[in-house]
């Protein structure tokens, strides 16, 4: 899938796309290196909870059975929610259809969470690195597209600093990989809170700095010196640039979280999550609606109010606005 994505991108750039027919194949789950990616279905929540269309549940059950066929049966299945129960029942039926009885129980367990059991978490602010990158940039098959200047700032010498680039050069878009084989450093902190990720990068940089300081220690044996030299060579060849690029990426996606307006939003969100309605909540709604700014975040906040307070107070007034 990664190579296909690159080929399609190349053909689009070079006006070759019209010469080919591109079709979608139901490949369900894609193992890429040691990571397992699921292909997102954009309208899955609408299909299930509004249209009452459960075909996606069957698709996911097929994907899990294919996974078991490749890697062994799942020993224990833990579920939460009625839809999760329907899904597990479907998996068991398909296991019988595909005669998986003889397979060993290689996978210890699977946890299935029905989204209807918790819609609130879906609407809250995301602070993990991968979540922020996906929300602010968008991850497509383990890759993102960003301005080249955004990730390369700090890599060039002072004479070639990014702020001296011509405007057209600053707009150049590049593809940046996030999978384990391409960017192993990122995969070490992808699920961390963004502050912890920055601490991890700082600690990694300090580790190599200390190695460099101590490499000429008189107490070090020849074998230890060789190991240290190899590590420093690996750092200069790979890790040094990866540290800068990943740090730039985190700083970019965390920047909106530090805005004063966002801090106001967080205050309202946290108050609602504690079960209390902020006094000026609907005045805040009026302000955002009138100024037409950050409407997606506003809708999430309104959904949190609806879920925690059994509906939105003054909803008809908000509709008129």
């Amino acid at each position: 899938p990664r190579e296909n994505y690159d080929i399609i991108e190349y053909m689009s750039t070079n006006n070759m796309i019209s010469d080919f027919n591109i079709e979608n194949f139901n490949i369900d789950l894609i193992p890429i290196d040691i990571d397992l990616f699921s292909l997102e279905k954009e309208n899955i929540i609408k299909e299930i909870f509004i249209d009452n269309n459960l075909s996606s549940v069957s698709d996911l059950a097929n994907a899990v059975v294919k996974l078991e066929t490749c890697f062994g049966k799942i020993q224990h299945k833990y579920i939460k929610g009625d839809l999760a129960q329907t899904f597990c029942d479907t998996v068991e039926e398909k296991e019988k259809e595909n005669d998986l009885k003889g397979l060993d129980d290689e996978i210890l367990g699977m946890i299935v969470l029905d989204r209807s059991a918790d819609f609130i978490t879906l609407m809250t602010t995301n602070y993990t690195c991968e979540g922020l990158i996906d929300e602010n940039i968008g991850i497509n098959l383990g890759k993102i597209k960003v301005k080249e200047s955004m990730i390369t700032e700090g890599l060039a010498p002072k004479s070639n600093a990014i702020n001296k680039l011509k405007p057209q050069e600053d707009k150049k878009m590049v593809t940046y990989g996030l999978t384990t084989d391409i960017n192993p450093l990122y995969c070490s902190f992808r699920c961390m809170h963004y502050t912890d990720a920055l601490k991890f990068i700082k600690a990694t940089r300090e580790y190599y700095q200390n190695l460099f300081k101590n490499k000429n220690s008189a107490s070090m044996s020849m074998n230890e010196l060789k190991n240290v030299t190899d590590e420093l060579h690996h750092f200069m060849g790979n890790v040094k640039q990866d540290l800068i690029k990943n740090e730039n990426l985190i700083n970019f996606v965390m920047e909106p979280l530090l805005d004063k307006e966002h801090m106001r939003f967080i205050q309202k969100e946290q108050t609602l999550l504690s079960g209390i309605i902020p006094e000026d909540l609907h005045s805040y709604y009026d302000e955002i609606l009138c100024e037409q700014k950050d409407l997606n975040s506003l809708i999430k906040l309104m959904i949190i109010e609806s879920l925690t307070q059994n509906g939105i107070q003054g909803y008809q007034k908000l509709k008129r606005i």
Side-chain angles (χ1 to χ4, degrees), residues 248-280:
N248 289 343
L249 181 60
I250 297 171
N251 285 326
F252 176 78
V253 295
M254 65 174 270
E255 189 174 345
L257 302 179
L258 306 178
D259 184 73
K260 289 183 179 179
E261 285 299 315
H262 181 74
M263 297 308 295
R264 285 181 64 201
F265 174 85
I266 291 299
Q267 184 183 25
K268 304 290 187 294
E269 179 186 87
Q270 294 299 316
T271 304
L272 281 172
L273 292 174
S274 66
I276 303 171
I277 300 182
E279 293 182 2
D280 61 341

Side-chain angles (χ1 to χ4, degrees), residues 102-274:
L103 290 180
D104 294 331
D105 294 335
E106 295 291 337
I107 303 173
L108 180 60
M110 174 179 68
I111 300 173
V112 184
L113 298 176
D114 183 341
R115 177 52 67 191
S116 64
D118 178 20
F119 271 119
I120 295 175
T121 301
L122 184 65
M123 298 298 154
T124 55
T125 302
N126 203 325
Y127 291 103
T128 63
C129 290
E130 188 145 283
L132 286 170
I133 293 169
D134 195 30
E135 285 185 1
N136 290 281
I137 300 174
I139 301 174
N140 188 349
L141 290 177
K143 292 184 178 182
I144 57 174
K145 273 194 172 182
V146 293
K147 286 183 180 179
E148 185 178 31
S149 59
M150 190 268 284
I151 59 171
T152 57
E153 186 173 4
L155 289 174
K158 293 292 182 182
S159 59
N160 297 321
I162 293 300
N163 56 13
K164 293 185 179 181
L165 287 175
K166 295 178 182 179
Q168 61 269 27
E169 292 175 332
D170 188 47
K171 292 179 181 179
K172 181 181 177 182
M173 301 296 288
V174 296
T175 301
Y176 188 55
L178 302 178
T179 51
T180 309
D181 56 333
I182 298 174
N183 194 345
L185 181 69
Y186 165 78
C187 296
S188 300
F189 61 77
R190 64 197 301 173
C191 297
M192 292 183 186
H193 190 284
Y194 69 86
T195 55
D196 293 329
L198 290 174
K199 289 177 184 176
F200 173 83
I201 289 175
K202 181 181 178 182
T204 304
R205 186 177 285 118
E206 289 176 350
Y207 168 78
Y208 284 105
Q209 287 173 348
N210 290 331
L211 274 185
F212 184 78
K213 290 178 183 177
N214 299 326
K215 76 181 181 69
N216 295 321
S217 173
S219 61
M220 191 176 293
S221 68
M222 290 299 295
N223 190 43
E224 289 174 332
L225 180 61
K226 180 181 181 303
N227 291 336
V228 169
T229 304
D230 289 342
E231 276 201 72
L232 290 175
H233 180 73
H234 174 67
F235 171 73
M236 295 302 295
N238 303 294
V239 181
K240 184 178 180 180
Q241 288 196 359
D242 287 346
L243 282 172
I244 295 172
K245 289 180 179 180
N246 283 293
E247 188 174 29
N248 289 343
L249 181 60
I250 297 171
N251 285 326
F252 176 78
V253 295
M254 65 174 270
E255 189 174 345
L257 302 179
L258 306 178
D259 184 73
K260 289 183 179 179
E261 285 299 315
H262 181 74
M263 297 308 295
R264 285 181 64 201
F265 174 85
I266 291 299
Q267 184 183 25
K268 304 290 187 294
E269 179 186 87
Q270 294 299 316
T271 304
L272 281 172
L273 292 174
S274 66

Side-chain angles (χ1 to χ4, degrees), residues 56-71:
S56 297
V57 176
S58 181
D59 291 341
L60 183 57
N62 281 326
V64 170
V65 171
K66 288 179 185 178
L67 188 69
E68 289 183 307
T69 304
C70 295
F71 300 103

Side-chain angles (χ1 to χ4, degrees), residues 84-116:
Q85 179 66 64
T86 302
F87 163 73
C88 282
D89 291 342
T90 307
V91 170
E92 290 180 3
E93 290 175 7
K94 293 184 180 297
E95 286 175 346
K96 292 177 182 177
E97 290 174 9
N98 290 272
D99 194 22
L100 301 185
K101 291 181 180 180
L103 290 180
D104 294 331
D105 294 335
E106 295 291 337
I107 303 173
L108 180 60
M110 174 179 68
I111 300 173
V112 184
L113 298 176
D114 183 341
R115 177 52 67 191
S116 64

